[in-house]
Amino acid sequence: MSAPLQPALHRQHVAVAAPTQLWLSAEGRLVPDPAGLTGIFHADTRFLDHAAVTVDGTEPQPVGVTAAGGRIAVDGLARNIAGPTLDPAVRVVQTWTVEPGTVRHSIELSTSLPELDCTLAVHLGADFAGMDAVRVGHPGDPVEPAHDAARLAWESGGRRAVATPGTPGARIATSIDRDSDDTDGFPSGHPALVWSASLGRGKPFRASWSVALEDADAVVRAATDSPAVEDEAESRPGAVGRLLATSLQQLAGLRLATVRMPDAPFLAAGAPWYFTLFGRDSLWSARLLLPEDTPLAAGTLRALAAYQGSERDPESAQEPGKIPHEIRAHELVVDHGPGGDQLRLPPVYYGTVDATALWLCLAGELSRTGRAPDAVRALLPAARRAADWLLASATGPGGFLSYRDGTGHGLSNQGWKDSADAMQFRDGRRAEGPIALAEVQGYAHQAALEAAALFEELRGPGGGEGLRAQAAALREFAAGIRSRFRESFWVEDGAGRFPAMALDGGGTPLDVPGSNMGHLLGTGLLDPDEARLVVDRLLGDELFSGYGIRTLSTAAAGYWPLSYHCGSVWSHDTAIAVRGMLAEGFRAEAATVARGLLRAAESLGGSLPELFSGVGTDESARALAYPAACRPQAWSAASAAVVARALRG
């Protein structure tokens, strides 16, 4: 047996309004697609896996698809209906609109014929497949609907989908195709909404229906606030303006809240697999959008604080004060196929080494904007618990923050590069834990200083001795991390000195350059000379592809431009390096890298996906897609704000 194949996403069309998603094939069809993902999704489940239009029993021939924000328009021709000439006689325009919990579908038939009577049908099917099964290509089992004269309804395990015609005259047909031959490969036996259409030249026929989606167990819901990011897209001409406009639209569709904290907005990590609260992803997204969107930053901090660890639980990796990695309604199980490990994560999973430090970084940065003082003060108890976790966690080799999965079915790597092969030496050997990541030490350094400054500010005159002592301990901690990092992480190759991606369990630095070093910029961990070395290395041919910064040097034995974390370019990873360059004063270098991301976006449909190939400008005039890359993804879309800052002039 071969390993399951993850659906490709790069040619599909997507519309999102969190927590709801619509995915259509490259041709604009919603039927099972062996080449990619299709379906109507809500929270962590695919509700409908079929919604196909037929005119007189045949699907229209697709001729064009346009997607923008929460809408997708599909243009087609009913070629089975002949006209007086060889020209197509019937045009079929479908418009899909996605709202939180609802998907609407309208169909317009127009014709060059004087008169036409035909049958319009929408064939529907539900499978309620879990996202973890869909992700590895496993089909769900069809669910039979209940029906009456006005609607179709499917139910399974607390989930419910109800399809209702919006245009009078529809009838419900539960066996429309059972007695006829299949047409265009559409499977027989699906129930359908059916209209008897009468139209003529200049007199189109219009029909519509919608499906309402409910999940009783969902842990997320639509956010009730509106995005507060200043939209400067209209004032920015050309490619920057186009990228900003698209990215802000994507971010609006990713805005979520938890059922536990409905007034605390955050950004879902990304479509389709990560439509929930992720510590690292949601925090970085909010950081990239500061200072403009302070309500998002405050909401993200509050949402994660509501799940902050309170006890020790090895199975979920929970520890007191720790910020979680991800929140789901049910256990997540991903089967990697014969011979592969099974990933099994509890509904609230804390297997992340960096989210707690990133939470403190965001809290400090939000405080420094001066725009949300009451929100910051309310977060003080959670910040103190997070700081205690930070102070107690530098217990890995050399006194650094490190990780090791103790369950055997959790994440083997617990930084942002979390695939099993992400941490490797120049010769391709995988590092063994506990692993101390370079960027995490930078986060920890900044987090300690941010928290210390916050505690000193909130202590007030003449009080808060506990806060003062904690601030002093944090400053001492930061100084120790900075000193030990300089002694342990810096290595050298033929091109000079650079900080290693990580230390393995024996304290040995990984001897190959990776993009991790870009995250150190702006954290205060590096002195000016060290920052210069990092910037120069990032812009060297081994790491900078011309479109972005590769995750791993081309000199590594394990480099492959289509490796998830060992040679590809991640949009947010590159944007974080650009952000750090700006913070360190390297404006020209930041602009160079930002222009690379802009070129990549123009190659990849006008937006920044989760990741793309590490193939460089010396090999290809266009950035090449990574087929399984998520889009839209929060921290990738938020990277557009960093690109705009770097190219502001």
Side-chain angles (χ1 to χ4, degrees):
M1 292 177 62
S2 60
L5 187 63
Q6 184 168 324
L9 306 173
H10 67 297
R11 296 179 66 244
Q12 312 300 88
H13 301 281
V14 58
V16 298
T20 305
Q21 310 177 58
L22 167 69
W23 286 82
L24 303 181
S25 72
E27 295 78 25
R29 303 171 72 216
L30 203 169
V31 295
D33 180 10
L37 183 73
T38 54
I40 292 175
F41 297 81
H42 185 71
D44 254 353
T45 302
R46 180 171 62 195
F47 279 59
L48 298 190
D49 65 335
H50 290 83
V53 170
T54 61
V55 180
D56 279 354
T58 300
E59 283 193 85
Q61 182 182 77
V63 294
V65 184
T66 303
R71 293 170 64 88
I72 303 177
V74 182
D75 219 314
L77 304 171
R79 299 299 300 273
N80 57 309
I81 298 177
T85 69
L86 295 178
D87 297 330
V90 180
R91 183 183 178 201
V92 185
V93 178
Q94 304 177 52
T95 303
W96 295 88
T97 305
V98 181
E99 303 167 3
T102 304
V103 176
R104 305 184 190 281
H105 184 205
S106 63
I107 307 114
E108 179 179 283
L109 305 181
S110 58
T111 184
S112 62
L113 299 172
E115 294 181 348
L116 174 64
D117 293 325
C118 60
T119 300
L120 171 66
V122 182
H123 309 250
L124 300 171
D127 67 351
F128 295 104
M131 195 68 87
D132 48 357
V134 176
R135 184 175 180 179
V136 294
H138 292 165
D141 296 322
V143 175
E144 288 295 320
H147 67 92
D148 54 29
R151 64 179 188 170
L152 287 161
W154 300 262
E155 292 190 55
S156 176
R159 302 175 182 90
R160 178 177 171 85
V162 179
T164 306
T167 303
R171 71 180 190 275
I172 307 295
T174 58
S175 58
I176 188 169
D177 287 333
R178 285 195 172 102
D179 298 324
S180 63
D181 293 334
D182 295 347
T183 56
D184 283 358
F186 188 77
S188 63
H190 285 86
L193 306 175
V194 184
W195 291 266
S196 296
S198 294
L199 60 154
R201 183 187 292 271
K203 296 179 181 179
F205 177 83
R206 297 181 179 91
S208 66
W209 66 281
S210 63
V211 59
L213 314 165
E214 301 175 7
D215 185 347
D217 295 332
V219 296
V220 294
R221 48 164 292 171
T224 56
D225 71 324
S226 299
V229 176
E230 180 183 352
D231 186 356
E232 60 174 290
E234 293 182 4
S235 64
R236 298 298 297 269
V240 175
R242 290 193 297 272
L243 176 60
L244 269 175
T246 299
S247 299
L248 293 173
Q249 197 173 58
Q250 290 177 336
L251 292 167
L254 294 173
R255 215 167 178 96
L256 272 178
T258 62
V259 173
R260 183 179 294 188
M261 295 287 288
D263 60 344
F266 62 89
L267 291 174
W273 319 122
Y274 310 117
F275 242 50
T276 188
L277 176 61
F278 269 72
R280 176 190 310 120
D281 300 56
S282 298
L283 287 163
W284 258 122
S285 300
R287 292 183 73 190
L288 294 172
L289 292 169
L290 276 178
E292 288 86 2
D293 199 341
T294 52
L296 177 68
T300 303
L301 291 166
R302 292 177 59 223
L304 286 165
Y307 291 91
Q308 189 174 27
S310 59
E311 61 184 20
R312 294 192 177 277
D313 176 23
E315 185 67 17
S316 67
Q318 181 182 180
E319 297 170 0
K322 196 175 185 182
I323 296 298
H325 176 262
E326 62 182 279
I327 315 296
R328 295 188 184 272
H330 306 283
E331 180 184 57
L332 175 71
V333 179
V334 179
D335 189 349
H336 295 292
D341 295 329
Q342 186 184 70
L343 181 69
R344 185 159 49 83
L345 307 181
V348 183
Y349 180 57
Y350 293 81
T352 170
V353 71
D354 54 11
T356 309
L358 290 170
W359 190 96
L360 287 169
C361 288
L362 178 59
E365 290 168 353
L366 176 61
S367 178
R368 286 192 277 112
T369 68
R371 298 182 182 181
D374 293 341
V376 172
R377 183 171 289 278
L379 289 165
L380 181 59
R384 296 197 67 181
R385 292 191 293 271
D388 284 340
W389 179 89
L390 187 68
L391 290 170
S393 296
T395 58
F400 296 107
L401 272 73
S402 64
Y403 63 85
R404 171 184 273 167
D405 172 49
T407 67
H409 55 75
L411 291 171
S412 57
N413 280 313
Q414 297 185 359
W416 85 261
K417 294 181 180 178
D418 57 4
S419 53
D421 63 344
M423 292 296 112
Q424 56 180 262
F425 291 88
R426 184 178 291 266
D427 61 9
R429 288 179 297 116
R430 295 186 186 183
E432 296 184 3
I435 293 173
L437 296 170
E439 71 272 23
V440 171
Q441 317 316 314
Y443 303 158
H445 180 269
Q446 181 182 348
L449 295 180
E450 296 278 11
L454 184 63
F455 296 165
E456 289 164 352
E457 177 186 350
L458 296 180
R459 183 174 66 87
E465 291 305 312
L467 281 174
R468 176 158 54 185
Q470 196 173 20
L474 287 163
R475 293 193 182 280
E476 182 179 355
F477 171 89
I481 285 277
R482 193 171 193 261
S483 175
R484 293 193 299 275
F485 186 92
R486 186 167 289 119
E487 294 171 357
S488 301
F489 271 83
W490 282 86
V491 295
E492 191 167 359
D493 63 8
R497 298 176 63 237
F498 64 93
M501 289 195 297
L503 307 181
D504 72 0
T508 303
L510 276 59
D511 57 348
V512 63
S515 63
N516 305 57
M517 69 178 79
H519 293 228
L520 302 175
L521 298 169
T523 65
L525 192 70
L526 307 176
D527 66 28
D529 291 338
E530 292 167 339
R532 175 80 266 177
L533 289 172
V534 167
V535 171
D536 288 346
R537 184 56 70 112
L538 291 172
L539 268 75
D541 292 341
E542 290 182 18
L543 288 175
F544 186 49
S545 73
Y547 298 114
I549 296 170
R550 298 182 179 98
T551 44
L552 187 68
S553 165
T554 55
Y559 167 78
W560 174 240
L562 289 168
S563 167
Y564 197 57
H565 286 131
C566 299
S568 61
V569 174
W570 283 62
S571 302
H572 87 284
D573 183 35
T574 296
I576 289 170
V578 172
R579 181 179 184 263
M581 291 176 194
L582 292 173
E584 300 277 2
F586 297 98
R587 295 201 61 86
E589 292 84 351
T592 295
V593 180
R595 281 191 288 271
L597 278 180
L598 195 58
R599 286 194 295 272
E602 290 182 296
S603 298
L604 298 165
S607 64
L608 289 168
E610 177 187 22
L611 71 157
F612 50 92
S613 169
V615 170
T617 53
D618 58 336
E619 295 182 67
S620 173
R622 298 176 59 84
L624 302 180
Y626 181 92
C630 294
R631 59 180 178 87
Q633 192 170 48
W635 57 13
S636 298
S639 296
V642 177
V643 171
R645 288 179 207 133
L647 299 178
R648 191 166 281 143

